Amino acid sequence: MPPVLPDFSNSVKLKYVKLGYQYLVNHVLMLMLIPVMAAILIEVLRLGPEEINLLNSLHFDLVQILCSCFFIIFIATVYFMSKPRSIYLVDYACYKPPVTCRVPFATFMEHSRLNLSSNPRSVEFQMRILERSGLGEETCLPPAIHYIPPTQTMETARVEAEIVIFSAMDSLFKKTGLKPKDIDILIVNCSLFSPTPSLSAMVINKYKLRSNVKSFNLSGMGCSAGLISIDLARDLLQVHPNSNAVVVSTEIITPNYYKGNERAMLLSNCLFRMGGAAILLSNHRSERWRAKYHLVHVVRTHKGADDKAYRCVFEEEDKEGKVGISLSKDLMAIAGEALKSNITTIGPLVLPASEQLLFLLTLIGRKIFNPKWKPYIPDFKQAFEHFCIHAGGRAVIDELQKNLQLSAEHVEASRMTLHRFGNTSSSSLWYEMSYIEAKGRMKRGDRIWQIAFGSGFKCNSAVWKCNRTIKTPTDGPWADCIDRYPVHIPEIVKL
Amino acid sequence: MSKSTNVSKSFHKILAHFFPFMISYSATFNHQSMVLPEQEHLVYNIRLSSVGPGRVTGSDVVHDLSGLDIAMKLHYLKGVYFFTDQAVEGLTIRQMKETMFYWLNDYYITCGRIRRTESGRPYIKCNDCGIRFVEGVCDKTIDEWLELGDDSLHNLLVYHRAIGPELSFSPSVYLQVTRFKCGGISLGMSWAHILGDAFSASEFINNWGRYMARLKSNGPLTLPKSLDNKIEKPHDPNQFVKEPLSAKQVNPVGDLWIAANNCKMETFSFYLSTLHLSSLQEKILGEDGRKRISPFSSVCAVIWQCIAKVREGFEPQIVTVCRKYPNYDNNVLSNSQIISAIKADFSVMEADLKKLALLMADDQGLDERNKIEAAVEKDDGVTDYIMYGTNLTFVNLEDANLYELELKGQKPKFAYYSIQGVGDEGAVLFLPGPPKGSNTENEGKLVTITLPEDQVLKLKTELQRTGLLPTELE
């Protein structure tokens, strides 16, 4: 819009103009039908009922009728065959860590001080991060990290993986009534811990899955690996009819607790916490009735071609030889770029016609008339009812809230998940979905947008549509504490 | 008022800076009954972790410390409980820790950390930081361990660090679980006296036993409304002008809460069977006196006289006696034990034991708690005091319920308590003995004595002469 108009945007009149415009453009086809139908009706009325003798006026031939029928059937068959299978999300289960894994701020700081006794300034730094992190006092770390110094061995990492993954899967089996023998596709994603045999093999061994199960283990793909797994499951379910796919998203913290002093690497210690989720996807027709959601779109954007984006989340050794994940200072800027790229792709798929038209007009205007026009940010609130932004950190949520012009209620699920569970990496999106369900806000027909960022640098989105209204109270990780939320999270927590 | 506290605070800071060598020199003598280096390997595989309350206590929850609490800050209690393998069969560390997360919901105060107000007065910030949990392994059986007979070895079973120098990163409570070769365990607790007296500490750990037996469960979170003081606060703080007899000021220790000694202290203990006690009572008091005077008073009278003989010329005329406050509320951690000062204005060495024993009876002596409280409050808790060891101190822990900590319904085989940070005058603890069978009447008593090491041998000889200590010593 030309710079003069923003003064008007606060006025009520413009709001009604906008509403009218949206209604007009979004329902343009229907609106065009009305005059056509009116015309036909008038014509019919004019001709009078006696002159209408449809059956006589159309001279029908048996051959013609048959051909038309076959033709219609043929078109219908081609249409139904080429339609992609609907992917239903039957249900999912999030891992709820026990209170024995709880890490209050004070304990985290004290352990840091004792583990990093040689460098008190690093401890100061961690305290400042923790104060502003948006985490609460109930986030959890695995048992091995509770030791001073942490006992980081292959065995303890496997113990954590077993606790998290098996617990989530047991929960999923209970909720859905799925039998392990019925799993056709198994995808496990865990970025930083990749033993041999893989975690998916561990699951197959524990639950005695069939020998022809298609198992995949994705590692190294960062916090957005959850949506990559969903994408992979979707592609596989297109090829294999009548199948069940189980996706397990988790992040194993035990081997990756950074023991050095480099500030860029200490950040992840402060934010990453224990968590996991198991999701059941299916393309069975029969699941249509009990599935919670069905998958509409998955959009993946990868900025790895750019060197800066590639190096922005990088696992490497520090000066003392200790391995940690270094987060670069321009992380937010790169995330913003990746998001823009992703939005540009997903916009045309989900936005209503009115927003797309506006975006197109401003784009044309900027190219042709005046490059100084502000780019129009489409209003995604019209495309989605709920937003699940990966709880990567307070800064990520703040940035996205600003860029997409979301209200506090839209980002509430993300903020509260960050507060209660911390950054659980790829599974955080599922904790957020669970929050929205627990609050009773999920109604049939609601569209949900899950956005995740990850190392590489990737920005992945998934769009779900709610299949049936979810009734409260829900059983899930929020069952015992949902009444306490939402909580006000202060800018700086006094430690 | 604030100006004077600022001045005194800076004065203390200057003192602390100018006498570091003296403090560190005397600090080396704080390890009473130090363990010899070659014995340190007896307990190995030490692993540290933290356990805290499972429930969020809340932000900005604070526990104010009374003057009495602050007076006790340089003292620590070390308790050890031995359990046979039947009591802990199938019990894993994980199960023990799990129960603790529920048990500590009630004791969130012990999980906090010490902070100082702007004027320097310590208080506890209840930030759920937790208590330190230590695991260890020993290759001896419990019986072999107890046969070693050296009290200082129990220090290996109780992981202990003084509070400080970083107050906000120092736990007040340490729990050590050591596994023995026979399958039994020892549970060692290091308890900062600032949190409460031995009666509170014992109740604290007994409640864990109740949680393990699922006899208790958490109630709703009750936050402290106001300072629950067991003693009436003096109406006029200047009413008690005189300094208390049973507590004295020490050189400022700054933020490292260790009581300095001028000499190395040593602890030894001995057991007195019920039979031995009754014959002692008869000897001292005759037939009728037994009813009026407890075994505690008689034993302490004998020990007082023996120490007087050992320290001839410097015999202790004033002693401190500590015992349980009768109206003790076992739901609250507090320093409520009665601290009385007892003066003998006659020669202790030559006195009649009956006279000494009568002097130490329950109703004798001046209750000094208010005086100590007033003295500490005079400069708002900034000065450092000690109580145990200011005079020869006798602590009656008979009714501290030491044997009420039960695992799988079994009492501990043996329980032992000692005090870390006793002053140079020494301390005597009177503990209940291990239960023999189900009849608590037969239990006998355990006496532990902490004295400067050069007095220990002479005292043992004296005690043997009086018949208190059996002559067949280890």
Side-chain angles (χ1 to χ4, degrees):
Chain A
M1 304 274 150
V4 176
L5 279 177
D7 296 320
F8 281 9
S9 53
N10 291 332
S11 89
V12 177
K13 285 189 194 146
L14 193 65
K15 188 175 117 180
Y16 283 123
V17 169
K18 267 176 106 172
L19 275 173
Y21 159 74
Q22 282 166 6
Y23 198 74
L24 185 73
V25 176
N26 290 339
H27 300 99
V28 71
L29 282 173
M30 203 175 74
L31 292 173
M32 283 202 302
L33 261 180
I34 292 178
V36 169
M37 283 177 59
I40 296 177
L41 193 65
I42 293 169
E43 190 61 38
V44 163
L45 287 171
R46 208 163 53 82
L47 287 174
E50 300 84 25
E51 291 177 11
I52 297 175
N53 217 338
L54 263 120
L55 283 168
N56 290 341
S57 52
L58 298 166
H59 304 286
F60 276 129
D61 196 356
L62 192 62
V63 176
Q64 271 186 332
I65 295 170
L66 274 172
C67 283
S68 323
C69 284
F70 280 137
F71 186 62
I72 291 169
I73 292 170
F74 178 68
I75 297 288
T77 315
V78 168
Y79 171 71
F80 280 116
M81 291 299 285
S82 62
K83 197 166 79 121
R85 289 182 223 272
S86 290
I87 309 295
Y88 299 106
L89 194 163
V90 179
D91 209 341
Y92 62 95
C94 295
Y95 170 66
K96 172 119 188 263
V99 293
T100 53
C101 292
R102 180 183 161 220
V103 178
F105 289 151
T107 316
F108 182 85
M109 288 318 310
E110 188 168 286
H111 284 222
S112 275
R113 179 71 188 88
L114 295 170
N115 288 328
L116 294 175
S117 48
S118 54
N119 199 339
R121 291 192 66 207
S122 306
V123 180
E124 271 292 314
F125 171 73
Q126 283 192 305
M127 200 176 315
R128 281 203 304 275
I129 296 290
L130 215 51
E131 283 173 354
R132 293 162 178 73
S133 60
L135 264 68
E137 297 260 19
E138 291 179 276
T139 60
C140 297
L141 282 174
I145 305 293
H146 288 259
Y147 281 93
I148 306 165
T151 51
Q152 293 173 295
T153 60
M154 193 90 183
E155 197 196 321
T156 49
R158 279 216 169 98
V159 164
E160 182 194 345
E162 284 174 11
I163 296 173
V164 175
I165 296 177
F166 295 164
S167 183
M169 291 214 53
D170 288 339
S171 203
L172 182 69
F173 289 147
K174 204 166 113 194
K175 275 181 162 188
T176 57
L178 179 72
K179 305 259 182 320
K181 294 263 180 267
D182 295 334
I183 299 178
D184 304 291
I185 300 162
L186 174 69
I187 305 171
V188 177
N189 74 269
C190 170
S191 187
L192 294 164
F193 178 55
S194 184
T196 300
S198 62
L199 294 174
S200 56
M202 188 177 84
V203 172
I204 294 172
N205 170 260
K206 162 85 175 174
Y207 293 103
K208 313 283 179 252
L209 303 188
R210 297 196 319 257
S211 55
N212 62 349
V213 67
K214 289 171 191 48
S215 70
F216 298 84
N217 193 83
L218 300 175
S219 71
M221 300 192 92
C223 300
S224 58
L227 294 182
I228 296 176
S229 307
I230 300 285
D231 186 40
L232 179 60
R234 179 185 68 161
D235 290 342
L236 287 166
L237 287 172
Q238 299 298 344
V239 175
H240 301 288
N242 291 327
S243 304
N244 289 321
V246 171
V247 172
V248 179
S249 292
T250 183
E251 189 56 71
I252 302 300
I253 313 276
T254 304
N256 305 303
Y257 192 78
Y258 175 60
K259 295 189 283 272
N261 289 308
E262 194 72 27
R263 285 187 188 190
M265 301 185 183
L266 281 171
L267 201 62
S268 35
N269 278 1
C270 296
L271 298 175
F272 280 90
R273 296 288 183 266
M274 206 174 159
I279 303 108
L280 174 60
L281 297 168
S282 175
N283 57 9
H284 284 281
R285 276 263 114 116
S286 52
E287 300 287 13
R288 211 170 7 140
W289 306 113
R290 69 165 182 150
K292 276 185 174 173
Y293 306 94
H294 73 263
L295 185 58
V296 183
H297 298 291
V298 176
V299 174
R300 294 168 57 176
T301 317
H302 205 303
K303 298 304 253 178
D306 176 39
D307 282 341
K308 254 180 44 183
Y310 171 66
R311 290 203 71 97
C312 103
V313 179
F314 210 77
E315 185 181 17
E316 58 191 345
E317 273 142 1
D318 66 7
K319 292 193 268 294
E320 294 161 10
K322 301 199 178 99
V323 177
I325 301 164
S326 169
L327 301 169
S328 95
K329 285 194 173 45
D330 30 350
L331 181 62
M332 291 320 309
I334 292 169
E337 282 297 314
L339 178 71
K340 227 189 324 178
S341 200
N342 193 291
I343 288 178
T344 317
T345 317
I346 205 175
L349 296 172
V350 295
L351 286 169
S354 53
E355 293 295 316
Q356 296 198 41
L357 189 64
L358 266 177
F359 183 71
L360 187 66
L361 288 175
T362 39
L363 193 67
I364 293 171
R366 288 184 71 215
K367 288 273 193 273
I368 298 175
F369 298 123
N370 186 0
K372 287 213 193 72
W373 279 10
K374 261 174 59 190
Y376 178 68
I377 300 168
D379 186 8
F380 280 91
K381 297 195 281 292
Q382 291 186 37
F384 301 106
E385 275 74 39
H386 306 290
F387 295 79
C388 292
I389 302 165
H390 164 56
R394 198 184 200 152
V396 171
I397 303 175
D398 288 343
E399 190 68 24
L400 255 76
Q401 185 182 9
K402 201 178 69 174
N403 283 346
L404 299 174
Q405 292 162 349
L406 301 173
S407 71
E409 199 183 316
H410 286 124
V411 295
E412 185 186 308
S414 311
R415 283 197 202 283
M416 296 307 125
T417 300
L418 183 64
H419 184 267
R420 174 64 181 83
F421 295 101
N423 178 353
T424 57
S425 186
S426 40
S427 49
S428 65
L429 298 170
W430 301 106
Y431 287 100
E432 294 171 25
M433 286 269 257
S434 195
Y435 178 86
I436 300 172
E437 290 178 10
K439 277 287 183 194
R441 295 179 189 160
M442 199 63 86
K443 306 267 180 293
R444 186 190 151 97
D446 281 357
R447 293 154 298 174
I448 304 106
W449 188 16
Q450 289 184 325
I451 313 169
F453 297 98
S455 60
F457 196 80
K458 301 188 270 288
C459 176
N460 298 331
S461 309
V463 179
W464 302 89
K465 191 148 183 203
C466 183
N467 209 30
R468 57 179 174 86
T469 303
I470 316 261
K471 287 197 275 281
T472 51
T474 57
D475 55 342
W478 296 94
D480 61 347
C481 57
I482 192 68
D483 298 320
R484 281 191 270 131
Y485 284 90
V487 193
H488 167 70
I489 305 173
E491 266 303 311
I492 301 178
V493 174
K494 204 164 55 96
L495 284 184
Chain B
M1 189 63 193
S2 58
K3 192 170 171 214
S4 63
T5 50
N6 276 341
V7 168
S8 61
K9 201 166 80 154
S10 40
F11 178 63
H12 290 148
K13 271 200 192 150
I14 293 166
L15 264 186
H17 281 291
F18 279 174
F19 298 108
F21 86 96
M22 204 163 104
I23 290 172
S24 59
Y25 180 66
S26 43
T28 59
F29 290 129
N30 85 84
H31 295 288
Q32 287 159 199
S33 323
M34 260 194 334
V35 180
L36 296 169
E38 60 263 22
Q39 292 172 318
E40 276 174 17
H41 71 278
L42 282 173
V43 178
Y44 59 96
N45 257 3
I46 300 284
R47 295 169 79 202
L48 302 171
S49 53
S50 297
V51 292
R55 195 163 51 184
V56 177
T57 301
S59 49
D60 301 323
V61 175
V62 145
H63 173 76
D64 289 311
L65 296 167
S66 69
L68 258 184
D69 293 331
I70 296 174
M72 305 299 287
K73 74 185 194 210
L74 299 180
H75 297 301
Y76 304 86
L77 288 168
K78 284 154 83 165
V80 153
Y81 298 82
F82 291 88
F83 287 93
T84 58
D85 53 324
Q86 286 127 350
V88 295
E89 209 180 309
L91 197 59
T92 59
I93 298 281
R94 220 193 88 206
Q95 284 169 318
M96 288 190 221
K97 278 188 175 180
E98 244 178 73
T99 336
M100 289 184 183
F101 278 90
Y102 296 100
W103 164 58
L104 290 171
N105 281 338
D106 292 342
Y107 290 105
Y108 56 86
I109 296 174
T110 59
C111 298
R113 292 292 181 266
I114 311 273
R115 298 268 169 99
R116 286 193 193 268
T117 62
E118 271 166 21
S119 57
R121 187 195 177 100
Y123 67 95
I124 297 182
K125 175 137 200 224
C126 303
N127 56 12
D128 296 347
C129 201
I131 65 176
R132 196 72 79 232
F133 188 87
V134 184
E135 298 163 50
V137 177
C138 179
D139 283 338
K140 293 195 177 295
T141 65
I142 290 184
D143 293 320
E144 285 170 13
W145 181 274
L146 292 173
E147 269 164 36
L148 290 171
D150 184 356
D151 278 13
S152 64
L153 283 180
H154 293 320
N155 288 332
L156 289 173
L157 300 176
V158 183
Y159 189 92
H160 169 75
R161 294 285 182 273
I163 291 179
E166 282 176 297
L167 293 179
S168 43
F169 292 136
S170 302
S172 316
V173 180
Y174 292 82
L175 280 180
Q176 177 173 340
V177 173
T178 314
R179 265 205 196 275
F180 286 83
K181 197 165 88 168
C182 53
I185 62 162
S186 71
L187 181 71
M189 172 171 72
S190 163
W191 170 273
H193 217 293
I194 197 169
L195 292 170
D197 50 32
F199 305 99
S200 296
S202 173
E203 186 65 19
F204 168 73
I205 197 72
N206 291 349
N207 268 330
W208 174 63
R210 294 182 193 118
Y211 269 93
M212 287 294 291
R214 287 182 225 276
L215 289 173
K216 271 191 90 124
S217 58
N218 289 135
L221 182 64
T222 47
L223 293 174
K225 292 184 211 53
S226 60
L227 186 56
D228 203 353
N229 222 338
K230 289 286 160 318
I231 52 180
E232 302 91 44
K233 271 203 168 324
H235 303 291
D236 174 21
N238 293 321
Q239 178 189 14
F240 300 100
V241 176
K242 285 208 307 214
E243 282 285 304
L245 294 168
S246 39
K248 74 170 186 212
Q249 278 191 20
V250 292
N251 287 333
V253 295
D255 277 350
L256 181 57
W257 291 4
I258 297 181
N261 292 98
N262 292 323
C263 45
K264 201 164 139 204
M265 305 294 281
E266 194 186 306
T267 306
F268 68 96
S269 61
F270 54 92
Y271 174 71
L272 294 168
S273 65
T274 329
L275 225 57
H276 192 158
L277 280 169
S278 45
S279 68
L280 177 71
Q281 292 268 73
E282 256 188 67
K283 201 172 75 173
I284 295 174
L285 307 166
E287 277 297 319
D288 55 11
R290 207 184 311 161
K291 298 183 193 69
R292 274 197 297 142
I293 293 169
S294 60
F296 168 69
S297 306
S298 333
V299 171
C300 292
V302 174
I303 296 176
W304 190 359
Q305 193 170 71
C306 290
I307 291 179
K309 289 188 184 147
V310 166
R311 292 185 194 167
E312 62 181 274
F314 298 99
E315 61 175 44
Q317 296 292 138
I318 309 174
V319 297
T320 311
V321 174
C322 302
R323 58 177 189 283
K324 189 172 182 175
Y325 181 61
N327 302 338
Y328 167 68
D329 177 4
N330 54 3
N331 291 322
V332 174
L333 297 174
S334 58
N335 273 301
S336 57
Q337 65 180 350
I338 297 180
I339 303 170
S340 17
I342 293 185
K343 233 196 251 191
D345 25 341
F346 45 84
S347 165
V348 177
M349 229 165 67
E350 278 130 38
D352 178 25
L353 281 174
K354 187 166 174 185
K355 201 170 168 192
L356 276 176
L358 277 168
L359 207 55
M360 302 189 83
D362 275 1
D363 49 351
Q364 300 295 314
L366 309 150
D367 184 355
E368 292 225 309
R369 287 177 296 166
N370 279 341
K371 264 200 196 152
I372 301 176
E373 174 96 20
V376 172
E377 293 289 357
K378 236 185 351 214
D379 55 358
D380 201 29
V382 170
T383 329
D384 302 325
Y385 281 80
I386 58 163
M387 193 274 281
Y388 295 117
T390 302
N391 312 311
L392 177 61
T393 311
F394 295 93
V395 188
N396 186 358
L397 296 179
E398 276 183 291
D399 25 8
N401 301 327
L402 289 194
Y403 286 89
E404 268 185 34
L405 172 62
E406 291 183 7
L407 289 178
K408 285 208 169 125
Q410 303 239 359
K411 292 191 184 294
K413 181 183 174 122
F414 178 61
Y416 177 86
Y417 265 58
S418 64
I419 302 177
Q420 175 79 29
V422 175
D424 295 328
E425 289 295 312
V428 177
L429 269 72
F430 197 72
L431 305 163
K436 294 195 188 326
S438 53
N439 194 353
T440 50
E441 296 297 317
N442 287 330
E443 55 180 37
K445 305 290 176 202
L446 185 73
V447 178
T448 81
I449 304 184
T450 306
L451 280 183
E453 62 175 355
D454 51 354
Q455 297 173 16
V456 166
L457 212 53
K458 285 187 239 169
L459 179 64
K460 281 185 181 171
T461 325
E462 268 306 315
L463 288 173
Q464 280 172 325
R465 227 176 38 79
T466 58
L468 201 63
L469 203 58
T471 40
E472 354 71 67
L473 269 179
E474 305 79 18

